Each structure stands twice: as structure tokens, then as C-alpha cells.
Amino acid sequence: MGLIEAFGEWSSWPGRLRMGLVPVGFGYEGSLSESRLNFERSLLFKNRIIVLRDLGLQFFTSHNGYYTQVTIHNGEGEEQQDNRMFFT
């Protein structure tokens, strides 16, 4: 048993801010939750080449049907190993 998504969230008029183990959302398949998938995830996700969730900070905002979501994360999917950050 373990945590799949573990983040703190603050929502206000400018947008939504999340910190912790946030969903990264690479592509359409990466943005879907497990309950909405019709088939298993592709090998890129199964072999952990592309991560689904990562430790970091995420900001989401929308206005008039347009949205922006930025994520700053460690890129490892686990603990930090190379001290580099990713901006997605």
C-alpha cells in the first residue's frame, strides 16, 4: 500500500497551486487518471522513461477558455539524484 498522489493544494482567484507529489501530465495519456484509461499505459510510462507524478511545484490558471499549467519538478520520479530541476 502506498500513496499515489500526495500534494497540498491552494486554490484562489488567480489559479491553483500544488506542492508535493504532483501529476506531471506529459501528453494526453499522461494527463488521464487510471480510472479513465481504456487500455494499459504505453511502454514509455510502464518503463518509467516518462514519469506520471513527481516531487515539485505546480501552478494552473485559466481565463476565457484558455489555460496554462506549469510544473517545476525534479525529473526523477523519486528522490533527487542529479540536483537538476525540470520545467514542464
Side-chain angles (χ1 to χ4, degrees):
M1 182 168 232
L3 295 173
I4 294 176
E5 291 179 358
F7 55 82
E9 181 176 305
W10 177 70
S11 294
S12 184
W13 66 269
R16 178 183 69 207
L17 182 68
R18 290 179 174 174
M19 286 178 30
L21 190 59
V22 295
V24 178
F26 284 119
Y28 178 71
E29 183 181 1
S31 64
L32 291 176
S33 64
E34 282 79 6
S35 63
R36 295 183 57 204
L37 288 174
N38 293 327
F39 302 104
E40 292 184 6
R41 295 207 188 267
S42 65
L43 290 176
L44 291 173
F45 290 100
K46 287 176 109 179
N47 293 336
R48 298 181 61 97
I49 296 170
I50 299 176
V51 296
L52 290 172
R53 296 163 190 91
D54 205 357
L55 294 172
L57 176 74
Q58 184 178 74
F59 181 71
F60 173 86
T61 187
S62 64
H63 181 70
N64 288 339
Y66 297 97
Y67 70 91
T68 299
Q69 177 174 309
V70 293
T71 306
I72 300 170
H73 56 101
N74 69 4
E76 306 291 338
E78 299 173 351
E79 294 181 17
Q80 182 77 295
Q81 296 175 2
D82 57 4
N83 293 326
R84 294 190 317 187
M85 300 299 284
F86 286 75
F87 181 77
T88 305

